[in-house]
Every structure is written in C-alpha cells, then in structure tokens.
Amino acid sequence: MRAFWAIAHNEMAQLYRDMWYLFLLTIGGMASLIIMAYTMSADIERVETLMVDLDQSRESRRFIQALQNDTFFALNFMAGRRAAEQHLQEGTARVVIIIPADYGQRLNRGETVQVQALIDGSIPNIAEPARAHLSALTRRLAQDVLVEQLTRQGMAAAASPAFQPRVRYNAALKTIVSVIPGMMGIVLSISAVGAASALGRERERGTFEMLICTPLGRWPLLLGRVCPYVLIGLLDVILFAAIGHFIFNMPLRGNLVLFVLLSCAYLFAITSTGVLIAQFVQTQHAAMIITFMLFGIAPAYLSDIFFPVFTMPAWLQQESALMPATHFTAIARGIFLKGVGWQALWPNTLALLLTGMVMSTLAYLRFQKKLG
C-alpha cells in the first residue's frame, strides 16, 4: 500500500509541475462541457421572421398575435414583399410570411384563403421545424375560426376526438436536457486520456526503464499512475452535475451519491482501457489521440447521446453495447431525468465493472510481458 501511495504521490507531483495540463483536466473539462452543450443542442428558438401584412385587418392581427406567442419566431415587420424577399435571399431572415390584402374579407365569407410562407431551405434543420410550426398554427387558427362562424350562425360545432399528450421526464422536450448526461461521459474521457499519457510520458522522457527496474510490484506501478486521474475524474463528475443542474436546468430526480458511486465504475472502465492502450504505443501523444478517439469521438455517434442506437444496424448496436459511454449515458439519464435507482441501473454498472476488470487484467499481463 505504501508503494501505491508513493507512485500516486509522484504522479500528482508531475501534474502539479505541469499546471497547464492540470488546468486542462479540470477547468478545461468544464469549459468543454458548457461549449458542447450550447453548440450541440438542437433546440431552435427566435428564428428571424419577416411579416408582410397587406390586409391590416382584425383577422390579420389575430394571426400575427398567434405568431408572436410562439417563441420559435422572432417577428419583424416589413412594408413590402420585394424587400422581405431580398432579406430572405441575403440570409438576414429565415422565414417570410405574407398575408394577402383580402385575408379578412374572405375569411369572414367562409372562403378558403392562403397565407404565403417563404422559408429558407438552405438550412434544413431550421426550415423543417419552421414549416411544422406554421402548419400547426394555421390548423389551430382554422379550427377556432370555424367554431366562431358556427356559433354566430347558432349552430354547435361538431365534437372531435381529443388528443392530450403528456410528456414525462422532459416536458419541454429540450434537447439540451437530454444530451447533457451523455456529454458528461464524453468530457470525462480526459481521465482516460490522462491515464494513457502517464506511461507514454515515461517512455518519452527515457525513464520507463528506471521505472520497471524498481522493486515495486506491477499493481502499485499501474494503479499509482491511474489513481490521480480517477480522483480528478470524480471531481469533474461533481462539477459537471452542478453545471448541468444550475446552468442548463437539468433536473436531479435521483440520488446524487448513487450517481457519483456509479461514475466510479465508468472511470474505472475508461482509465483501465487507457492504460492498456498505453502498453502498445511509444509516445504520449499517440496514447492521447487513440484514447480520445475511442472515448471522446466514437461515443458521440454510437452511445445513444445524439443518435438513437435502435435505428442503427445490428452490428453497430452490438458495438455500442461494448462502449462504456453507452452505459454511462443510461445511468446519468436514469438518475437525473427519471430518478431511477440501483434496481434499474445494475446491468449497466455490471457492464462497466466487467469492462474495467478485463481491461485492467490485460494491462497487467501486458505490463508483465514488457518486464520480461
């Protein structure tokens, strides 16, 4: 045990001498999470929309008020159609809505009247929600107008089936609330990167031979190098949870202590893999790049964070099940968004522990081979 703490203390001293690297592992991780959360969120609001009202009637103002009540649109007014279309072409507006001059009259006569909407399709992820919002809004207004006309004629509106959806766990359907738990796992990959770079650094500095010639056992040598990065990862876990809850309004419906404990299993799995990777490369940078690709880039596509895994081919689903970030995402979402406990999360935790034990054992055996 004394040997283990001696190696861990030595590694902490190395980190303390390289303050920029320690800054990257702590503050850099927090900054990365905040930037990724803001830039990768698919929630769209305040789309620049120009309104050309050629009618100026009570009915047209009612239509405009409905648009202003929808936070998706940031409404501005233009006097002429040509100028509005020019803004659409130049990219200073994404949607142009033109209300015809006879809108109110035709509506009161019970005739069909069309409101023209010009949508910039050069950015489909904005154009499609804009079209969906406008379609839903016009259907709702058409139903209200029909009910009012029937009421004025002394007739009752026909009953229609009611649909009352109730969204649980993320009532506002905010993408940022859904992806923050998974992005924690991506940013925590810096712990694996640090663990992998620790041994690579010894090789680059020419001190690896001195290290393996010491009378210390193999487990103290390996675990002592990994321990500081696991502790830094645990600190990051707490900081990331605070960022998600207080900055991005991510709910915490479960047990925070349970989340921290299960995060240890995730850190164990990725740092063990990082140490194993370091056995096969000769430089610190190579170990860092491979580890980051494995735990920082691949999970963005295969860990159910941004893209649903069940829509992928079967072989990709199997690959996703082998990735620690997939299980961490399930754990984080379950605790933060759904408030589930150990009884629902033990399979994911078991998968992480098995991964950590297999990878650490392989790293131990590989390190033994090098000693031989």
Side-chain angles (χ1 to χ4, degrees), residues 125-243:
N125 63 332
I126 295 179
E128 185 58 37
R131 182 167 60 180
H133 275 259
L134 287 172
S135 298
L137 184 143
T138 52
R139 284 196 300 269
R140 187 167 62 250
L141 282 176
Q143 185 177 8
D144 293 342
V145 170
L146 178 61
V147 171
E148 290 179 359
Q149 289 177 347
L150 292 175
T151 301
R152 285 199 299 266
Q153 296 173 7
M155 301 172 61
S160 58
F163 175 65
Q164 187 177 3
R166 183 179 180 183
V167 180
R168 302 189 66 182
Y169 313 125
N170 185 11
L173 294 177
K174 291 290 186 179
T175 305
I176 197 168
V177 172
S178 174
V179 301
I180 278 284
M183 283 193 293
M184 290 182 188
I186 293 178
V187 181
L188 282 173
S189 64
I190 58 178
S191 297
V193 171
S197 67
L199 291 176
R201 184 177 64 244
E202 300 292 346
R203 288 191 174 93
E204 283 188 348
R205 295 178 178 178
T207 58
F208 184 71
E209 290 78 6
M210 297 175 58
L211 181 67
I212 61 177
C213 289
T214 60
L216 301 177
R218 286 162 286 173
W219 280 121
L221 284 174
L222 291 174
L223 296 180
R225 293 297 182 189
V226 171
C227 180
Y229 300 98
V230 173
L231 294 178
I232 292 174
L234 286 176
L235 174 63
D236 287 338
V237 165
I238 298 173
L239 293 175
F240 294 167
I243 289 173

Side-chain angles (χ1 to χ4, degrees), residues 13-60:
Q14 296 286 347
L15 287 173
Y16 182 76
R17 293 190 187 102
D18 192 351
M19 294 301 297
W20 281 110
Y21 191 47
L22 185 59
F23 177 85
L24 175 65
L25 294 175
T26 52
I27 307 301
M30 295 171 57
S32 298
L33 180 64
I34 294 174
I35 293 172
M36 289 173 60
Y38 277 121
T39 56
M40 294 186 179
S41 173
D43 298 321
I44 301 174
E45 292 183 346
R46 310 297 297 169
V47 175
E48 287 293 333
T49 304
L50 297 180
M51 171 63 67
V52 181
D53 185 4
L54 302 177
D55 189 43
Q56 299 292 329
S57 64
R58 181 177 66 87
E59 288 76 12
S60 67

Side-chain angles (χ1 to χ4, degrees), residues 72-335:
F72 183 87
F73 300 100
L75 210 59
N76 294 300
F77 295 89
M78 298 289 294
R81 174 188 181 123
R82 181 171 298 180
E85 290 184 0
Q86 183 68 26
H87 282 280
L88 186 70
Q89 184 178 16
E90 294 174 354
T92 55
R94 300 299 178 187
V95 180
V96 172
I97 300 174
I98 303 171
I99 300 178
D102 57 350
Y103 174 82
Q105 295 178 2
R106 296 183 62 180
L107 204 62
N108 289 327
R109 291 198 298 264
E111 300 177 4
T112 300
V113 57
Q114 292 185 344
V115 176
Q116 187 175 19
L118 307 177
I119 303 174
D120 183 359
S122 62
I123 308 179
N125 63 332
I126 295 179
E128 185 58 37
R131 182 167 60 180
H133 275 259
L134 287 172
S135 298
L137 184 143
T138 52
R139 284 196 300 269
R140 187 167 62 250
L141 282 176
Q143 185 177 8
D144 293 342
V145 170
L146 178 61
V147 171
E148 290 179 359
Q149 289 177 347
L150 292 175
T151 301
R152 285 199 299 266
Q153 296 173 7
M155 301 172 61
S160 58
F163 175 65
Q164 187 177 3
R166 183 179 180 183
V167 180
R168 302 189 66 182
Y169 313 125
N170 185 11
L173 294 177
K174 291 290 186 179
T175 305
I176 197 168
V177 172
S178 174
V179 301
I180 278 284
M183 283 193 293
M184 290 182 188
I186 293 178
V187 181
L188 282 173
S189 64
I190 58 178
S191 297
V193 171
S197 67
L199 291 176
R201 184 177 64 244
E202 300 292 346
R203 288 191 174 93
E204 283 188 348
R205 295 178 178 178
T207 58
F208 184 71
E209 290 78 6
M210 297 175 58
L211 181 67
I212 61 177
C213 289
T214 60
L216 301 177
R218 286 162 286 173
W219 280 121
L221 284 174
L222 291 174
L223 296 180
R225 293 297 182 189
V226 171
C227 180
Y229 300 98
V230 173
L231 294 178
I232 292 174
L234 286 176
L235 174 63
D236 287 338
V237 165
I238 298 173
L239 293 175
F240 294 167
I243 289 173
H245 183 67
F246 294 107
I247 296 182
F248 298 106
N249 297 318
M250 181 180 66
L252 176 57
R253 298 189 173 98
N255 192 320
L256 181 61
V257 176
L258 178 63
F259 174 66
V260 174
L261 291 176
L262 300 190
S263 297
C264 292
Y266 176 67
L267 292 170
F268 173 51
I270 62 175
T271 53
S272 299
T273 308
V275 171
L276 177 62
I277 291 172
Q279 307 294 321
F280 295 92
V281 296
Q282 297 299 318
T283 64
Q284 179 180 4
H285 289 100
M288 294 174 68
I289 291 172
I290 295 173
T291 308
F292 181 72
M293 290 180 63
L294 186 61
F295 296 116
I297 297 179
Y301 301 95
L302 298 176
S303 297
D304 212 22
I305 300 173
F306 303 106
F307 310 102
V309 173
F310 70 88
T311 63
M312 300 179 184
W315 65 274
L316 276 179
Q317 294 185 34
Q318 295 172 359
E319 184 176 344
S320 174
L322 295 175
M323 302 187 69
T326 302
H327 301 285
F328 179 82
T329 300
I331 290 172
R333 282 179 177 164
I335 292 177

Side-chain angles (χ1 to χ4, degrees), residues 55-68:
D55 189 43
Q56 299 292 329
S57 64
R58 181 177 66 87
E59 288 76 12
S60 67
R61 288 192 293 272
R62 179 180 180 180
F63 183 89
I64 293 171
Q65 184 62 47
L67 282 174
Q68 290 176 328

